[in-house]
Amino acid sequence: MSKSKEQDTIEVFIDSVSHFYQQMGLAEMEIGVPYLLDSNQPIVSDFTGIIGISGRHRGCVYYTCPKAMLSYILIALGEKDVGPEHLGDLVGEIANTLAGNARKTFGSDFMISVPVVLQGEPDKVSLPKNTRCVVIPTKWKYYQSIIVVALE
Amino acid sequence: MFFANQFGKYRAIVISVAMFIFLDTGVLGLNFYISSQIAADAVNVNLAGRQRMLSQKSVKALLEYRYERQQGQSGRAAYEEMAGAIQLFDRTLLAFKAGGETLDTTGQPIYLPAVETPKAISAVDQSLTIWEPIRTDFNALNKGGGDMEQLLNRLVSSAESHNLTLLKLMNDLTNDLEAVAKEKSETLRLIQASAITLAILNFFLILFHFIGQLRQSDSIAETARKETTEILQTVREGLLLLDNNLIIGTQHSESVRAIFGDQEFAGMSFRSLLHNLVVGRDMSTTEEYIKLLLNEKVKENLIGSLNPLTDVEVSLPAENGGYSVKHLSFRFNRTIEDGHISHILVTVMDVTETIALRKALDEAQQSNGLQLDALKNLVHLDTRTLADFLRETDIALHEINDTLKDEAADPQGYNAKLQNCFRIMHRIKGDAGALQLPQVVQEAHQFEEQLQSLQKMSGLQGSDFLPLTLALDAFLRLISDLQEVSDILKQVQPASSAPASSVSEPEATPAMPLPLAPQLALLDREPITQLAERIAEEQSKEVNVIFDTDDDLALPDQQRSLVQSSVIQLVRNAVVHGIELPEIRVLADKSPVGRILVRVRQQEDGLRISVRDDGHGLDLDAIREQAHSNGLYDQAELESFSRTRLMGLIFHPGFSTADNVDEHAGRGVGMDLVRSNVNKLKGRIRIGTQAKHHCEISFLIPVAASMPSEEVDVMNTQSDAEARV
């Protein structure tokens, strides 16, 4: 079965998040069964890192995860301050990794925005209207988080 | 021609060197000229100095001659000396005056030019005035005769009175000639100094001018080299030059390395570069093509189409150590120098993406073609039927999405997901097949293939489902497209639509036959018949589907749909597995046309729907064998199974006795779907079969208004299935 371009693209984003965990020396992240996001209502957890994409493909990619998980990671990394600012920085760093890998892999096909970090605020996530988004559930320790790829 | 072309470039240096040579030659010529002049002047000065000596010598010899004669001697020697001195003085003086021959200090004749300076002319003229009477007297003395003594005395007297004057005049002449010589030598020095200065200046001019020019051209060359390097490092195409022997030149673009891997290309033959990438015949065609390009008599643009390497699929080593398949396109162009072909420029482009896009475009075009076919198929359908199908399919696809979404992390959970997806997709495929929607059938078939490849995968992980999720997205888009078409069709054929009564909400209500006139008939017969006939035709069989139903019977939409899709699966199963080929049927004393009876009967305990075929019946041995080879049960267990339980195995997920997988059979999903549907309808299944005679599968939908306590586990139902032999 040959891989489609769309699949290649989504795999780059999944691998980016996986690599982030590896680079941080954290336990491996498990990938769940991807599904489609119906009705295009964004699902967000406590903290969300989003990158906007334009160029040949338009849309966004985001990673969203619960506060408890980010706090756990920060503590695991030896950080004592687990205030919202630090938690936001961490999720921003994950979004940065997404953006960096996307730039490296896709080159000029994708124009990637500077990552934006949100706390809750699902209204601020705007998903493209004419496309169904792919949700990739992920699990680290016992925390659930998701990657959402919404590209036209 | 060459010089004319090149002269412009080197004009400055040619002019400078010519000037240098001209100056040096000029100085040399002048040097020769003035040196010879100085040499001549030196002779003049010498001879002028000799005149001084001769004047004194002749006076001394005159006085000696007179003294010797007074002493009575002959005085011959003195006379000879006096005569020699006087004659030489006279000859030299005349030569100074008008130019003429005289004798040099060695006695050799020498030409003496006439003096030219006013001082010298005056001295010579004055000397001649004094000298003329002396010469006359001496000539007379020399001739002899006459009064010798008187002549002699007169000569002595003249000599005594003019001796000093003559000496002074000759001295003046000598000094003047010396001054002239000196002046000339100074002029020579001046000219030499000036010419040498000019020559040195010219030399430095050449030096600085050309060093400047060399530095400038070096800098231009350096800039050009840098720019060339930048271009070669940046350009995405692989660029390299081939000589007449197809050997690669020293320069190439960085992309060559990216395309062909890290190796030394300079001096390598083109054949070695393409070794392992291009097969033998293409390689020799390529070489012939390049040789044609190198032939100046052949027009380049006429042979472009002969290039065999416009699209080459190659496997090249990838960074991660594996191999990646790329599509390369080679272009060959002549490079011309001085009107002749000097090299062949090879441009290698990685057209992998272009090819992928072209393929995608072809697929899209094909898809459009399919849509047109779909449209043709949609037009004949009743819009209500179509809309129902599309709505139900959309719901079913969302069910699949929900199945994917359900949390499950272990392999068993994944397999359950796949099995559930299989059931839903098979229902869609069956319904689509019945409605003759080949595009949907194809999409469903491909989806099933993906499901099956996932089932076979060991160590299945969540990420392996990604292609399936994307296929689901594509399927949903297809349904959405068809819905748009369906909406348009609704507008153009409103009259043919079914009664406009409201459709029951698809909620799970218990089965309840409703004899309502406006409701749709319980079974939609036409698609079932068409499907059976189509499958039969494809399998070279003949079949006749007979319906025995009561048109008054009806069910709510959702249940009707479950019954319809179950009957479709059962009829499909009957055609594929039950009905034999016509020739076999004839041998078995049967009509060549198989008969399938679909019957719906209202019974006391509910509604019984049965599908009976007059085929060869269930092959229990084949079921046993398949169950064993599938690893469901071991041989001993199977031997102990009752007929009923053995027959029940056909409802097991993934169980099939078909040899090959095709659109109609082979995945073992159809009967599993029937089981699942009957389960939803809270019904029971019964199988009746007689070898070589018939097979009948029926299910009973309970009629009670609510049956919470009567839920039946269909797995149990399978094992308890009644077997009527």
Side-chain angles (χ1 to χ4, degrees):
Chain A
M1 189 169 28
S2 65
K3 277 165 95 181
S4 69
K5 225 174 158 76
E6 200 179 359
Q7 187 185 340
D8 282 340
T9 309
I10 295 174
E11 279 176 352
V12 167
F13 295 117
I14 299 177
D15 291 348
S16 302
V17 179
S18 289
H19 282 154
F20 179 82
Y21 281 83
Q22 276 174 12
Q23 279 169 0
M24 288 288 150
L26 299 166
E28 202 169 320
M29 187 182 78
E30 285 173 38
I31 309 288
V33 176
Y35 58 91
L36 302 170
L37 180 62
D38 251 341
S39 70
N40 272 22
Q41 285 302 311
I43 319 171
V44 295
S45 188
D46 302 334
F47 281 85
T48 307
I50 311 176
I51 57 169
I53 291 165
S54 52
R56 200 195 284 179
H57 301 273
R58 298 174 66 85
C60 70
V61 176
Y62 69 82
Y63 177 69
T64 184
C65 56
K67 183 180 171 186
M69 175 183 155
L70 291 171
S71 308
Y72 192 126
I73 295 175
L74 277 185
I75 291 164
L77 294 173
E79 179 64 52
K80 284 176 188 160
D81 183 356
V82 290
E85 202 176 311
H86 278 76
L87 299 175
D89 284 351
L90 181 59
V91 88
E93 200 50 50
I94 297 174
N96 252 327
T97 312
L98 280 172
N101 280 6
R103 277 193 202 102
K104 199 165 82 186
T105 315
F106 305 125
S108 59
D109 282 2
F110 283 65
M111 284 152 71
I112 316 264
S113 77
V114 175
V116 174
V117 175
L118 299 176
Q119 284 188 49
E121 307 172 286
D123 305 346
K124 291 194 177 171
V125 183
S126 78
L127 299 173
K129 289 197 175 87
N130 304 324
T131 191
R132 227 171 252 106
C133 314
V134 179
V135 179
I136 301 110
T138 66
K139 196 171 168 188
W140 182 78
K141 304 278 184 194
Y142 30 81
Y143 298 108
Q144 307 276 357
S145 58
I146 55 167
I147 306 167
V148 177
V149 181
L151 288 178
E152 276 179 7
Chain B
M1 186 59 130
F2 171 80
F3 188 77
N5 285 340
Q6 298 297 318
F7 184 71
K9 196 170 163 187
Y10 299 112
R11 198 174 60 180
I13 196 167
V14 170
I15 291 174
S16 302
V17 170
M19 218 157 96
F20 187 75
I21 293 170
F22 172 75
L23 280 170
D24 278 7
T25 320
V27 171
L28 197 67
L30 267 173
N31 212 2
F32 273 115
Y33 173 71
I34 297 174
S35 300
S36 66
Q37 287 280 304
I38 289 172
D41 286 348
V43 172
N44 287 2
V45 171
N46 266 348
L47 294 185
R50 192 179 65 180
Q51 290 293 82
R52 284 189 307 204
M53 180 274 285
L54 286 174
S55 69
Q56 299 312 303
K57 192 179 173 182
S58 56
V59 172
K60 188 200 98 188
L62 175 67
L63 292 173
E64 272 183 9
Y65 175 61
R66 193 179 72 169
Y67 173 73
E68 280 179 17
R69 275 186 65 104
Q70 284 170 350
Q71 294 301 316
Q73 294 171 0
S74 71
R76 185 161 186 83
Y79 183 81
E80 290 289 331
E81 189 186 353
M82 178 187 72
I86 286 173
Q87 277 170 357
L88 188 57
F89 182 87
D90 182 54
R91 194 172 174 183
T92 306
L93 188 63
L94 285 172
F96 272 130
K97 169 65 184 167
E101 213 170 56
T102 183
L103 298 175
D104 67 7
T105 47
T106 59
Q108 294 299 316
I110 187 172
Y111 179 79
L112 204 58
V115 293
E116 289 168 347
T117 61
K119 264 189 179 175
I121 291 169
S122 154
V124 170
D125 286 346
Q126 284 180 44
S127 303
L128 277 171
T129 313
I130 295 166
W131 184 250
E132 283 295 342
I134 295 172
R135 183 178 52 209
T136 312
D137 288 343
F138 175 73
N139 284 343
L141 183 71
N142 205 24
K143 218 184 271 176
D147 189 355
M148 291 290 282
E149 284 303 320
Q150 191 187 353
L151 269 175
L152 201 55
N153 286 335
R154 207 161 64 218
L155 272 171
V156 169
S157 150
S158 285
E160 279 173 353
S161 61
H162 296 299
N163 181 28
L164 285 175
T165 315
L166 206 56
L167 181 66
K168 184 180 172 294
L169 284 169
M170 284 303 107
N171 200 38
D172 287 349
L173 178 65
T174 308
N175 287 343
D176 187 55
L177 288 175
E178 258 178 4
V180 167
K182 198 174 166 189
E183 195 182 323
K184 276 187 182 169
S185 82
E186 273 174 5
T187 310
L188 175 65
R189 265 203 300 275
L190 191 67
I191 289 170
Q192 274 181 331
S194 314
I196 284 167
T197 309
L198 281 175
I200 288 171
L201 280 176
N202 189 39
F203 172 75
F204 280 113
L205 185 76
I206 294 172
L207 200 67
F208 289 118
H209 178 68
F210 289 104
I211 282 178
Q213 271 202 343
L214 279 175
R215 285 175 63 161
Q216 197 182 350
S217 56
D218 276 358
S219 128
I220 291 169
E222 180 61 20
T223 312
R225 194 189 62 76
K226 272 188 187 166
E227 284 175 357
T228 310
T229 310
E230 266 177 45
I231 291 170
L232 289 179
Q233 280 178 346
T234 317
V235 70
R236 290 182 71 176
E237 286 86 8
L239 300 175
L240 44 89
L241 286 172
L242 299 181
D243 66 9
N244 290 345
N245 299 317
L246 311 193
I247 301 293
I248 299 169
T250 54
Q251 301 287 311
H252 58 77
S253 66
E254 198 56 32
S255 299
V256 172
R257 224 173 269 286
I259 295 171
F260 295 103
D262 201 359
Q263 51 182 314
E264 183 56 45
F265 297 99
M268 184 197 256
S269 77
F270 192 52
R271 179 179 267 273
S272 325
L273 181 72
L274 297 188
H275 182 62
N276 290 339
L277 300 182
V278 176
V279 287
R281 214 176 113 203
D282 273 350
M283 188 66 232
S284 48
T285 317
T286 307
E287 284 181 336
E288 278 167 26
Y289 170 65
I290 300 175
K291 279 175 188 159
L292 268 180
L293 264 184
L294 285 165
N295 184 347
E296 290 183 3
K297 288 177 188 163
V298 179
K299 286 200 171 174
E300 187 175 1
N301 51 3
L302 291 184
I303 54 167
S305 59
L306 299 180
N307 179 7
L309 302 184
T310 47
D311 175 15
V312 189
E313 187 180 295
V314 295
S315 292
L316 292 166
E319 280 176 12
N320 58 15
Y323 279 83
S324 60
V325 175
K326 285 185 184 173
H327 286 263
L328 301 181
S329 174
F330 289 75
R331 215 173 52 214
F332 301 90
N333 293 96
R334 292 167 171 170
T335 60
I336 306 290
E337 203 176 320
D338 300 332
H340 295 286
I341 299 165
S342 63
H343 287 97
I344 296 295
L345 171 69
V346 183
T347 312
V348 193
M349 284 165 287
D350 186 343
V351 291
T352 314
E353 272 193 30
T354 317
I355 299 284
L357 283 174
R358 197 184 298 157
K359 202 173 150 195
L361 194 66
D362 286 348
E363 278 172 6
Q365 278 174 345
Q366 202 181 359
S367 154
N368 285 339
L370 283 172
Q371 276 173 5
L372 199 64
D373 286 344
L375 189 64
K376 281 181 201 157
N377 286 321
L378 294 181
V379 170
H380 75 274
L381 283 175
D382 171 56
T383 49
R384 165 90 187 248
T385 312
L386 178 63
D388 284 353
F389 166 74
L390 294 174
R391 183 173 48 78
E392 281 161 18
T393 306
D394 192 63
I395 293 167
L397 292 175
H398 281 90
E399 272 177 50
I400 291 181
N401 195 36
D402 290 341
T403 307
L404 294 177
K405 199 171 168 181
D406 285 343
E407 213 175 308
D410 52 76
Q412 277 185 341
Y414 287 153
N415 280 332
K417 268 183 200 290
L418 291 174
Q419 198 51 45
N420 199 22
C421 293
F422 243 130
R423 266 197 297 273
I424 301 170
M425 194 48 76
H426 209 65
R427 190 175 81 213
I428 296 172
K429 192 165 89 169
D431 292 351
L435 291 177
Q436 290 188 338
L437 295 169
Q439 197 182 1
V440 181
V441 171
Q442 198 189 359
E443 194 81 22
H445 190 67
Q446 283 172 359
F447 195 91
E448 284 186 347
E449 275 183 352
Q450 293 206 355
L451 283 169
Q452 200 161 40
S453 71
L454 286 178
Q455 272 183 332
K456 284 178 187 164
M457 204 181 272
S458 61
L460 193 61
Q461 291 188 337
S463 54
D464 297 327
F465 281 75
L466 183 57
L468 199 69
T469 313
L470 296 174
L472 179 65
D473 185 30
F475 208 150
L476 278 164
R477 278 202 301 267
L478 170 67
I479 297 302
S480 161
D481 288 350
L482 291 177
Q483 268 166 343
E484 277 180 31
V485 178
S486 163
D487 289 345
I488 296 168
L489 286 177
K490 246 186 215 172
Q491 289 168 3
V492 297
Q493 42 169 247
S496 68
S497 62
S501 69
S502 66
V503 180
S504 302
E505 283 302 307
E507 59 191 32
T509 51
M512 192 162 25
L514 301 170
L516 296 174
Q519 280 285 13
L520 288 175
L522 199 144
L523 286 177
D524 191 356
R525 298 175 187 188
E526 199 184 326
I528 296 172
T529 311
Q530 283 177 351
L531 177 72
E533 284 170 357
R534 187 162 61 84
I535 298 172
E537 194 185 339
E538 283 176 26
Q539 301 202 341
S540 309
K541 294 177 181 176
E542 289 174 47
V543 71
N544 186 18
V545 185
I546 300 159
F547 288 88
D548 177 8
T549 65
D550 185 346
D551 283 345
D552 292 341
L553 295 172
L555 281 172
D557 261 10
Q558 194 194 19
Q559 295 184 345
R560 193 179 63 84
S561 160
L562 289 170
V563 170
Q564 175 84 7
S565 77
S566 300
V567 171
I568 285 174
Q569 293 303 333
L570 290 173
V571 170
R572 178 202 290 268
N573 206 53
V575 180
V576 176
H577 296 289
I579 303 294
E580 312 93 327
L581 290 166
E583 51 270 31
I584 294 171
R585 288 181 64 85
V586 170
L587 285 175
D589 280 342
K590 293 182 187 175
S591 155
V593 182
R595 183 170 180 271
I596 295 174
L597 176 65
V598 180
R599 183 187 283 158
V600 183
R601 278 282 177 271
Q602 179 75 58
Q603 297 182 183
E604 277 183 19
D605 50 351
L607 201 63
R608 180 164 291 281
I609 295 116
S610 69
V611 175
R612 180 189 173 101
D613 68 78
D614 65 345
H616 55 58
L618 284 184
D619 184 348
L620 296 181
D621 289 338
I623 294 172
R624 196 179 286 119
E625 202 175 307
Q626 189 63 32
H628 180 245
S629 66
N630 277 9
L632 294 175
Y633 300 98
D634 64 30
Q635 198 70 44
E637 276 179 302
L638 287 166
E639 292 298 337
S640 71
F641 275 15
S642 65
R643 282 175 58 84
T644 312
R645 190 163 179 200
L646 212 49
M647 288 191 290
L649 288 178
I650 63 171
F651 295 98
H652 196 284
F655 188 90
S656 173
T657 53
D659 296 333
N660 298 309
V661 175
D662 61 23
E663 184 195 319
H664 309 300
R667 299 197 205 278
V669 182
M671 300 308 278
D672 180 34
L673 171 64
V674 173
R675 179 183 65 85
S676 166
N677 285 350
V678 174
N679 207 7
K680 283 180 191 163
L681 292 164
K682 305 181 193 326
R684 295 170 67 91
I685 296 176
R686 190 167 74 187
I687 309 171
T689 182
Q690 185 179 2
K692 300 179 184 172
H693 194 261
H694 76 270
C695 176
E696 177 173 342
I697 300 175
S698 65
F699 52 92
L700 180 77
I701 308 171
V703 75
S706 63
M707 306 182 295
S709 59
E710 288 187 40
E711 273 188 21
V712 179
D713 178 35
V714 175
M715 285 311 288
N716 290 334
T717 311
Q718 286 172 24
S719 49
D720 295 342
E722 299 167 32
R724 199 177 60 198
V725 182

